Amino acid sequence: MASFIHLNDGNQLPWIAFGTGTALYGRDATESVRRALDNGFIHIDTAASYRNEESVGRAIKLSGKSRSELYITTKLGKLQKPGETVRSALLTSLSKLGIEYVDSYLVHNPAHHPGKLRQIWEEMEEVKREGLTKSIGVSNFYVEHLEEILPVATITPAVNQIELHPYVWRSSKPTIALNEEHDIVTSSYGGLSPIVRFPGGPVDAAIEQIRTRLEKTRGAPVSNGQVLIKWLKQNGVVVVTTSSKAERIREYLDTINVPDLTEEEMKLIESKGAELHRKAS
């Protein structure tokens, strides 16, 4: 079952994506992406700086799925070569991916473009107008970065992808609020950090309590990971996650069938997360 989030430019994107950073950084992602596509993912999230776009493209081709069935996100890295532009960087990514357009193209990190964010955003708008990408957005942009580009933007970013989980929710609230003010969808990476990277923290007991209740309500197994993913989804956040295991991939996608958290359960995870600030990146 697919579920989509509507963007401010009229397009829509799947609520969950298979990410090819972190564990797949600089590695051949062919088998991992094929496994994700074979098990139901349709949204693949990659980046020039992950150094695996060619293998992602190979997996897309081997999957046998039509381009229109898939949603592909990639990201602009640091422009290092003389004369390199947003357009030339995107064309290089498209060539590696073996496709004619991406669905979303994001500025990966504002730190890559000191003093040039406005110019970079103008070039991002140009590649959207040219049809090389359907939507444009940003990643790792916080309030100060958004406030730099929004005054000159004739096309507002559609997406802002940031590290997001209960242990950074409180510190991210100003950015989330600014995203909402401009109808920018918040996308998340590192969403499972509380149980994968920082186990033993204050949200653990809350997650287990909620998991038990959801499992009883559903009459079928519910995992701790599904509780966190469901929490993000109910907050209107796109989830970017990854796994090398087919059963885990199916579990993540199955989260859409898990009953909703109650308002009290949503607040409990937020309040427990506010007791600790831990960032994965």
Side-chain angles (χ1 to χ4, degrees):
M1 179 193 287
S3 178
F4 295 86
I5 292 178
H6 292 278
L7 300 175
N8 60 19
D9 60 7
N11 294 313
Q12 56 182 15
L13 81 166
W15 73 277
I16 192 168
F18 183 83
T20 67
T22 322
L24 293 171
Y25 182 89
R27 296 175 58 189
D28 189 317
T30 309
E31 287 308 309
S32 293
V33 174
R34 270 205 76 179
R35 191 178 301 114
L37 292 171
D38 288 348
N39 282 281
F41 269 92
I42 57 173
H43 182 182
I44 305 298
D45 180 284
T46 188
S49 65
Y50 295 165
R51 304 204 312 269
N52 56 24
E53 287 176 311
E54 285 179 337
S55 59
V56 170
R58 193 155 50 244
I60 291 169
K61 187 175 182 181
L62 289 170
S63 76
K65 296 184 185 295
S66 68
R67 178 65 186 89
S68 61
E69 288 180 76
L70 303 175
Y71 192 102
I72 310 298
T73 295
T74 194
K75 307 179 195 79
L76 171 72
K78 194 173 184 178
L79 299 177
Q80 296 173 311
K81 299 172 186 173
E84 193 174 17
T85 63
V86 169
R87 185 178 187 274
S88 66
L90 178 51
L91 288 172
T92 298
S93 287
L94 291 174
S95 176
K96 288 179 178 179
L97 289 163
I99 55 180
E100 294 182 355
Y101 68 91
V102 287
D103 296 277
S104 282
Y105 194 45
L106 312 181
V107 181
H108 199 160
N109 195 321
H112 291 162
H113 316 285
K116 294 184 176 179
L117 282 184
R118 291 187 172 193
Q119 177 191 329
I120 291 294
W121 190 251
E122 288 172 4
E123 293 184 37
M124 291 288 288
E125 292 185 356
E126 289 171 12
V127 295
K128 174 174 166 56
R129 292 190 187 100
E130 193 178 340
L132 297 175
T133 179
K134 290 188 174 182
S135 297
I136 51 175
V138 294
S139 180
N140 299 299
F141 272 53
Y142 294 92
V143 171
E144 64 269 27
H145 310 117
L146 290 169
E147 287 181 340
E148 188 171 341
I149 64 167
L150 286 171
V152 298
T154 60
I155 301 173
T156 303
V159 175
N160 183 13
Q161 185 182 119
I162 57 176
E163 179 180 344
L164 202 54
H165 50 78
Y167 293 144
V168 295
W169 187 263
R170 184 172 62 176
S171 63
S172 302
K173 274 189 164 183
T175 300
I176 295 168
L178 189 57
N179 286 347
E180 290 175 351
E181 182 185 334
H182 292 274
D183 202 18
I184 300 168
V185 167
T186 302
S187 178
S188 67
Y189 65 85
L192 299 180
S193 293
I195 57 177
V196 175
R197 293 174 183 265
F198 314 125
V203 302
D204 284 22
I207 290 170
E208 178 58 27
Q209 173 189 324
I210 295 164
R211 185 199 69 75
T212 303
R213 198 278 299 171
L214 290 171
E215 194 164 275
K216 188 175 181 181
T217 301
R218 187 185 190 191
V222 174
S223 71
N224 289 340
Q226 287 179 317
V227 174
L228 277 172
I229 291 173
K230 195 76 176 182
W231 181 79
L232 287 164
K233 186 178 188 298
Q234 284 182 234
N235 274 306
V237 175
V238 173
V239 177
V240 179
T241 190
T242 192
S243 179
S244 60
K245 299 174 181 176
E247 61 269 25
R248 190 76 73 194
I249 288 167
R250 290 193 292 269
E251 174 193 304
Y252 293 158
L253 292 168
D254 178 57
T255 303
I256 198 167
N257 300 311
V258 171
D260 281 355
L261 279 65
T262 65
E263 188 176 343
E264 291 75 19
E265 289 170 337
M266 295 290 291
K267 288 177 179 175
L268 179 62
I269 291 177
E270 181 177 342
S271 64
K272 288 298 179 182
E275 294 178 14
L276 179 69
H277 180 75
R278 294 295 299 274
K279 227 170 175 293
S281 62

